[in-house]
Amino acid sequence: MFLAYIAPSVHSPMRAPHQQGKVAELRFELNSGGKKDKHFTAKKIALKKIVANMTMSNNDMVALFPDILGCMNIPNLEIKKMCFLYLVNYARMRPDVAVKSIPVLEHDMEDPNPLVRALALRTMSYIHVREFVEATVPIVKHLLRDPDPYVRKTAAYCVAKLYDHDRHLVEKSDLIDRLNSLLRDDNPTVVASALAGLMDIWERSDAIKLTIDYSNASKMVAILPDCSEWGQTYILEALMSYVPQETGEAALLAERIAPRLSHSNSAVVLTCIRVILYLMNYISDQKQISALCRKLSPPLVTLLAKGPEVQYLALRNALLILQRRPEVLRNDIRVFFCKYNDPIYVKVTKLELIFMLANEKNIDEVLTELREYATEIDVHFVRKAVRAIGKLAIKIEPAARRCINLLLELVATKVTYIVQEATVVIRNIFRKYPNQYESIIGTLCEHLDSLDEPEAKAAMVWVIGQYASRIENSDALLEDFLFSFAEEPIEVQLALLTATVKLFIQRPTKGQELVPKVLKWATEETDNPDLRDRAYMYWRLLSTDMEAARRIVMGDKPAITAESERLDPVTLEEMCLNVGTLATVYLKPVQTVFRNARPRRLQDSPALQREELPAPVAGLRSDANKSLSQLGMGGQAADFDPRTDRGNPPNGNGDLAQAVSDADAYFASQMRGMQIQEQGDSFGGNAGEAAGYVVNQYGGNQGVYQHGQTGDLLL
């Protein structure tokens, strides 16, 4: 027996009959019941099914638009809510049908029930259709004077919604003036809603300026206890627009706001902290500032008892506050010790705070805690802990020896990722304290086989090159690394190139065979311009003036400080004016996170304490981008012609291309003919013909230490 199969037509969708049947079934349920169904039970059930389908983005429900419009006249609040929800969702898809609901909505705005009036107004203002927007304006004007505060509150939000739809229409009307007049309303909730609406309009407009004087600010603070938690947040947000003209005003207002720090809502607490930090910039009395700082510490600590998400937000904001007002959390380091069940993002942020709060008095306690963290299971957290130990050695000089002993103790565990991280931080310790802790180099050399990550390899190669004169077999160690030179990442290749040159400068007889090979590889067998340019720079420098090469390659390195990760003063000032927002989680300027956000700055006034504003941190600016001429090279390599012994004037008009060509030919002949002498002129050996590349004399210098990103203090 054979069954015939007929394929469905491409142009007739298989689900259409099913969907049409579903819509017809729901339409039948909506229109059933009749007069016997006095409580409209059948209609409610049908509407719930429609809303459920609508929530799942089933656009077939739009066919029921006329039937929904018929249900909008039913005097039942539950049915009206579902009909209005449907209207908001599908009005922009069928604006021609949706417009027919405007008379029903206008009629509902005269209903004796304030909930119905507010619901109809909210629905009408949410629909972004021209006819709805124009019809809403006169209605909002009327309902801003409604006798019921709930309706007035809803009308205040609707002004901001209308401004979002059509700012020019709102600006031409007097809606903003009417909204401003609601600030004198008797109901605190209405005042808070009016402020929220004005703040939203101010954020979106360049033409409107929000100014609050002391009298209005004082009234706003007075109604804080009578507002809901969100109302309090709106009022505190608005107080950021108040610019104190006298230090006494700022101090009094901060004291009156301070009781909000004990609120149970974390949004109120963080917004209150932001306002107090802002007002501190206008207070001259240091005793008052110290008293306010002591009040800010307990609420931040209390937030750590909440869920991990709120904890994380509080911790990220604490990182900011500590940079601006270090006295806030100075004595509370133990509350930031990690718990075993903390999520990793909370642990890492706590670790950054521990690092910031560590000092000579608590360093032993901190190191004991970090030793425990370094034995955790989570590899990422262990790496951060090891890095924190190394950075503490740089930050607190009297504790450097204790930090190094702890690092060596961790290296002795022979756990690969601990050894690699320890190698990186010990390299930085050598940079901070040259010629002090070289005795630990032998321990590092014992664990060379554990190094397989680029950063750790580059760090170890730097150590070997920097201390080649003190490591007996430094040439053999470098030769082991050079065996896989071609396969190494670029950062390791750059480190090997520099370390080989350092070996030759310090011990010419040991490096005479390695240098030509490495320079040949780096100039003729690589496609990376950074590596090639650096190799040419070393090649020509060594061929021209060995003493200049020694001064440049073995010269002093840029200083390393533990303060280099601090935010720059301008960003820090802006971030402190945005405490509690998403921007503080990323530790980035607001416009980096929210493209259209309005940047905030401290407004000038007679009370502004300019001398208390953040100043640039010593050592914050990195020297890593200095050109070679700034690092001791002088003008020799660029201005000196070794064949003629003539110097070109700095502003001369010589033929640069010809000069480069002549230099290439000269250096090629020098490489073929020179012989090595102990501490001699240069290096010899046949390195092959020099490739005809244009030399960049400002090629990158040694990438020994990279400052961390502002978002992560322990990178």
Side-chain angles (χ1 to χ4, degrees), residues 218-379:
S218 185
K219 290 176 184 176
M220 288 158 58
V221 173
I223 65 171
L224 271 174
D226 301 321
C227 293
S228 66
E229 52 196 20
W230 295 116
Q232 292 184 37
T233 306
Y234 296 143
I235 290 174
L236 290 168
E237 281 272 2
L239 285 173
M240 296 292 291
S241 300
Y242 162 64
V243 182
Q245 300 300 310
E246 298 178 11
T247 60
E249 292 178 359
L252 182 58
L253 212 58
E255 287 293 338
R256 293 176 63 190
I257 293 170
R260 300 299 101 201
L261 292 170
S262 58
H263 200 281
S264 59
N265 186 291
S266 54
V268 176
V269 174
L270 286 170
T271 311
C272 185
I273 289 173
R274 186 199 315 171
V275 178
I276 291 176
L277 284 171
Y278 164 69
L279 292 173
M280 280 185 190
N281 295 301
Y282 297 90
I283 299 175
S284 58
D285 189 348
Q286 290 301 316
K287 290 184 179 179
Q288 289 180 322
I289 291 178
S290 298
L292 288 170
C293 286
R294 286 194 295 272
K295 290 182 179 180
L296 293 182
S297 182
L300 280 171
V301 173
T302 302
L303 289 175
L304 299 181
K306 295 183 179 288
E309 294 81 8
V310 177
Q311 278 187 56
Y312 182 65
L313 181 60
L315 292 167
R316 298 301 284 179
N317 282 282
L319 287 172
L320 275 177
I321 295 168
L322 269 177
Q323 292 186 50
R324 182 67 184 91
R325 302 285 179 184
E327 62 269 32
V328 170
L329 293 161
R330 181 171 290 161
N331 300 317
D332 292 318
I333 192 168
R334 290 186 64 85
V335 302
F336 298 114
F337 285 175
C338 300
K339 299 176 183 175
Y340 75 95
N341 58 348
D342 281 339
I344 183 62
Y345 55 89
V346 171
K347 284 183 175 181
V348 169
T349 313
K350 283 184 174 181
L351 195 58
E352 294 178 11
L353 280 162
I354 291 170
F355 169 74
M356 292 183 71
L357 290 167
N359 52 44
E360 286 187 52
K361 295 180 181 177
N362 58 26
I363 187 63
D364 290 327
E365 188 178 21
V366 168
L367 290 178
T368 302
E369 190 73 12
L370 293 178
R371 182 189 284 110
E372 295 297 321
Y373 299 163
T375 58
E376 289 268 358
I377 297 174
D378 192 294
V379 175

Side-chain angles (χ1 to χ4, degrees), residues 121-141 144 154-171 173 175-176 200-201 204:
L121 177 61
R122 185 187 302 123
T123 302
M124 199 165 181
S125 67
Y126 275 17
I127 298 173
H128 196 176
V129 174
R130 168 58 52 187
E131 291 82 359
F132 279 86
V133 174
E134 292 176 349
T136 306
V137 172
I139 296 170
V140 170
K141 289 182 181 179
L144 281 170
T154 306
Y157 289 128
C158 288
V159 175
K161 197 68 181 175
L162 285 174
Y163 191 85
D164 187 32
H165 294 329
D166 190 340
R167 63 175 61 193
H168 299 296
L169 181 65
V170 174
E171 287 172 358
S173 69
L175 277 175
I176 295 177
D200 189 73
I201 292 171
R204 298 169 187 271

Side-chain angles (χ1 to χ4, degrees), residues 667-687:
F667 289 127
S669 64
Q670 288 290 91
M671 284 301 299
R672 284 192 295 268
M674 282 193 303
Q675 299 297 322
I676 292 294
Q677 301 170 6
E678 180 68 18
Q679 299 293 336
D681 317 28
S682 292
F683 62 92
N686 184 3

Side-chain angles (χ1 to χ4, degrees), residues 396-415:
I396 306 171
E397 188 168 348
R401 172 53 68 182
R402 280 172 282 176
C403 295
I404 291 171
N405 289 339
L406 178 54
L407 286 172
L408 293 177
E409 183 183 322
L410 294 171
V411 167
T413 62
K414 297 185 179 180
V415 178

